[in-house]
Amino acid sequence: MKYKILIFFCLTSMFSFSQYRKNDGNRIGITAGINNTNLYFSDLKFKPGMGWIAGLSVRGNFYNDKWSMIYGMQFTESKCSLNSIAPNGKEESIDYTLSGAQIRILGSYHLVDDFLALDFGPVLQVNGKLAMNDIQNSNLINEHGLLAQDILDISKVNANLYLGVSGGCKRLRANLFYQFGLTNIMGNLNDNEEIKNKNQGSSFNAHMGMISGQLTFNL
């Protein structure tokens, strides 16, 4: 239901924005690409993994032919991994998957006319729990009894900072960007004292980092 509401909100806002500035160079784009995502957490050493990202966006002129605004919504499936010890004592790598949706409102400064731009701004991310193979639920991920399944219920709403470059022509653009999580994506785990005790009594504090390359086809 949350995703349906987000889709409706995004499409309605994009349509309104496009109508408001339809004589000022607005372009509706379909975007798809890959991402490399990691969780930066001092107590657990995650390894980055490859995922995908795709969605819709609107780019429109904003000021003096040097600035434009980008508004869009994208769906993501990100992956990362963590070393663990299985109940039989064998070392195993656990693959975690994070699925969600992102709403972006970005500023774009044109470095070379409309061919190359610097894009930056905030991103609102709504995601579900981490997902993993249920067979590995009871694997240990630290020496204090923290299990792989203990860290699945992460924070569902997070804020990221976006910085990237985009370039190309009016019909096709390439995008390369980095997102850093401003909020603690594992903050939700701190409400569970039992799980905190398995983390040596320390609070969980982790931030997401994502590098992504995409292609945007403008309609």
Side-chain angles (χ1 to χ4, degrees):
M1 179 61 69
K2 290 181 180 179
Y3 289 161
K4 291 180 180 178
I5 294 173
L6 282 172
I7 293 171
F8 175 79
F9 174 78
C10 180
L11 293 178
T12 301
S13 300
M14 285 168 54
F15 177 77
S16 300
F17 183 38
S18 178
Q19 292 301 309
Y20 177 69
R21 300 182 60 84
K22 67 181 181 179
N23 294 323
D24 203 16
N26 273 22
R27 280 159 282 168
I28 298 177
I30 301 174
T31 302
I34 59 174
N35 63 50
N36 184 273
T37 304
N38 199 4
L39 296 181
Y40 298 107
F41 183 27
S42 59
D43 296 323
L44 296 172
K45 303 303 180 183
F46 285 90
K47 298 177 182 178
M50 299 298 296
W52 59 265
I53 184 167
L56 298 173
S57 64
V58 173
R59 177 187 287 267
N61 294 339
F62 180 69
Y63 177 73
N64 199 28
D65 292 329
K66 293 294 290 184
W67 291 90
S68 60
M69 293 290 293
I70 304 170
Y71 179 86
M73 180 178 182
Q74 300 205 323
F75 293 95
T76 70
E77 182 176 276
S78 304
K79 298 179 182 294
C80 58
S81 62
L82 192 62
N83 290 332
S84 70
I85 302 296
N88 61 7
K90 181 181 177 181
E91 292 188 5
E92 293 182 348
S93 177
I94 300 175
D95 295 324
Y96 288 98
T97 300
L98 177 64
S99 299
Q102 296 185 341
I103 296 178
R104 307 171 176 178
I105 302 177
L106 308 176
S108 181
Y109 180 73
H110 297 209
L111 299 172
V112 182
D113 294 327
D114 196 29
F115 303 109
L116 182 65
L118 177 66
D119 307 326
F120 55 91
V123 177
L124 175 66
Q125 176 173 304
V126 179
N127 52 259
K129 297 180 180 180
L130 289 175
M132 57 172 289
N133 189 332
D134 292 342
I135 296 177
Q136 297 177 306
N137 278 346
S138 298
N139 285 23
L140 284 171
I141 55 177
N142 74 7
E143 66 271 23
H144 303 284
L146 188 66
L147 304 180
Q149 64 183 356
D150 289 336
I151 64 170
L152 299 182
D153 192 17
I154 60 175
S155 300
K156 307 305 187 300
V157 180
N158 294 280
N160 304 332
L161 182 63
Y162 179 114
L163 179 63
V165 293
S166 60
C169 58
K170 289 185 177 181
R171 186 63 69 180
L172 184 66
R173 294 182 72 89
N175 310 275
L176 178 65
F177 66 83
Y178 179 76
Q179 284 188 41
F180 180 76
L182 299 177
T183 53
N184 179 9
I185 197 170
M186 288 192 172
N188 197 46
L189 300 177
N190 294 322
D191 296 331
N192 190 316
E193 289 298 326
E194 181 181 353
I195 293 179
K196 281 183 63 177
N197 290 336
K198 294 181 180 180
N199 192 42
Q200 306 178 61
S202 301
S203 296
F204 289 86
N205 189 5
H207 298 267
M208 186 186 77
M210 176 192 292
I211 299 174
S212 180
Q214 301 179 336
L215 289 177
T216 300
F217 178 75
N218 293 311
L219 303 177

